Structure formats: C-alpha cells, structure tokens
Amino acid sequence: MVSPDCLFCRIAAGELPSSQVHADDQVIAFRDIAPKAPVHVLVIPRRHIPSAADLAVDDGPLLSRMVAVAAEVARHEGIADSGYRIVTNVGADAGQSVAHLHLHVLGGRRMTWPPG
Amino acid sequence: MVSPDCLFCRIAAGELPSSQVHADDQVIAFRDIAPKAPVHVLVIPRRHIPSAADLAVDDGPLLSRMVAVAAEVARHEGIADSGYRIVTNVGADAGQSVAHLHLHVLGGRRMTWPPG
C-alpha cells in the first residue's frame, strides 16, 4: 500500500513535513513547495498509485473523493467562485516529478492557455 | 440529462460534428478544434455536468471511466509511454470555455511548467 522510497507516501505517513490543508482516511492535501499560483495545492491518495494511468476501474470512489477534496480546498481557499485548474501529469513528457498520483489545484490568478 | 444549448451535449448527441476518437454509452472523446499539442483530445461525459465542481460523490465510476478513456486514447495515439497531461478547468480564472465537464488530454511534446 505504502512505498517506503516514495516522497509522497512518506508525507502521507507524516514522516516528512508538509503544509497540510486536508487529511482524511483516504486522501491528503498539502501546499506545493514551489507554488505556481497564489493557491497551489496537491491532492494525493494515501495509497501508492504511480499515476492516473495506473488507476483501476474500481478506484472510481477514490478518484471522486480526490476531486471532491480539490473542490473543498478551493472553497476553503476562497477560489471556488473565481475558478481553478486541476492538472495531473503522467510520465516524462508531462513533467511528472513524483511517481505518486497527485492532482495539482491552482487558482487565485487568471490561468493562461495552453496549460504548459 | 442533456442540455440543448450546450455545445458539448450537442456534439455528444451527434448534432454537431467532431473529430471523434472514442465513444461509448457514457463517455466520448474528440480532438480539440484548437489543439495546443500534437495530441490534444477532450474527454467528456454524455451527461451534462457543468464542471468538476459539480460531480457528485456517486459519480466516481463515471470519473474513473473518463480517466480510463484518457489512458486508452493516449495508448491509441502512441503517447502512453512518453507521457501526457490531463487538465480540467473550473470557472473563469481557469479559462473554462464550455460549461460541460471536459478533460483535456495533451501530449506528443514536452509540456512546460507552470501549466498556464
């Protein structure tokens, strides 16, 4: 379930510090250490899933919970009405830097297009 | 279920043309008309859901299906190994242009950071 060499598993386990904004039994959310917007939070499952490409069909409830947490964080951070972008990277071309599924939630400024 | 004034509902219903790459009973995928990468596909639910903020807890299976279709499209387009970015915009600051939930799937080039 938990991969000892994974940075985000260790954050989820409380072994490494993070600026946490949400925690429940399945999902945690914390501020990106290199924020690219006034609000930039990462939403991750506690369970080690390498990327969105590795989600199983029956991970629907977990994914739904992650998106609900993103929306909850947006409300709490005051960007639910102004809007926010949710991004997840799969693999090298996307720039995925940690091989543990994470949703970037960015807002508090006007996001530009293309998205990178 | 279907909103007659919604561009993406009309595409899903086949009333407007699109360059479709996937269709099933719940989800369709088609090429973005203004692509920002060699591969730029939109994955949408047939059902009218305004944005990711409007997903209900029991929409997990649908969301899981959408992400599975994104992965399937990536495989079919030959970018599953090189990588891809999945983006969804909620509201004005994110630049959401059509008020029907859609996942952008972008790849075939090195994506940059920040994501817009």
Side-chain angles (χ1 to χ4, degrees):
Chain A
M1 289 289 267
V2 167
S3 175
D5 296 329
C6 170
L7 180 65
F8 285 178
C9 280
R10 296 188 66 194
I11 286 177
E15 291 174 19
L16 291 175
S18 72
S19 178
Q20 205 170 81
V21 296
H22 173 93
D24 62 43
D25 59 332
Q26 290 188 76
V27 174
I28 71 162
F30 52 94
R31 297 188 197 284
D32 195 293
I33 53 163
K36 298 302 181 189
V39 176
H40 186 171
V41 167
L42 304 182
V43 178
I44 73 169
R46 288 187 183 275
R47 178 155 58 95
H48 185 74
I49 300 171
S51 81
D54 301 289
L55 283 162
V57 171
D58 57 7
D59 284 327
L62 173 63
L63 193 55
S64 168
R65 179 82 201 121
M66 288 175 68
V67 172
V69 167
E72 197 176 304
V73 166
R75 275 192 301 276
H76 191 257
E77 299 283 327
I79 59 168
D81 292 337
S82 49
Y84 53 96
R85 179 166 291 170
I86 300 175
V87 178
T88 192
N89 295 319
V90 178
D93 261 7
Q96 186 180 4
S97 54
V98 177
H100 182 126
L101 173 63
H102 50 290
L103 303 182
H104 293 265
V105 181
L106 301 109
R109 66 166 170 87
R110 184 64 67 114
M111 304 300 292
T112 60
W113 201 249
Chain B
M1 290 289 264
V2 167
S3 176
D5 295 331
C6 170
L7 180 64
F8 285 177
C9 281
R10 297 189 65 194
I11 286 177
E15 292 174 16
L16 292 174
S18 72
S19 178
Q20 206 170 81
V21 296
H22 173 93
D24 63 41
D25 60 330
Q26 290 187 78
V27 173
I28 72 164
F30 52 94
R31 296 188 197 284
D32 195 294
I33 53 164
K36 299 302 180 190
V39 175
H40 186 172
V41 166
L42 304 182
V43 178
I44 72 169
R46 288 188 183 274
R47 177 154 59 94
H48 185 74
I49 299 171
S51 82
D54 302 290
L55 284 162
V57 171
D58 57 7
D59 284 327
L62 173 63
L63 192 54
S64 168
R65 179 82 202 121
M66 289 176 68
V67 172
V69 167
E72 197 176 305
V73 166
R75 275 193 300 276
H76 191 258
E77 300 283 327
I79 58 167
D81 292 337
S82 48
Y84 52 96
R85 180 166 290 170
I86 301 176
V87 178
T88 192
N89 295 318
V90 178
D93 262 7
Q96 186 180 5
S97 54
V98 177
H100 181 127
L101 173 62
H102 51 290
L103 303 182
H104 294 266
V105 181
L106 301 109
R109 67 166 171 86
R110 184 63 67 115
M111 304 299 293
T112 60
W113 202 250

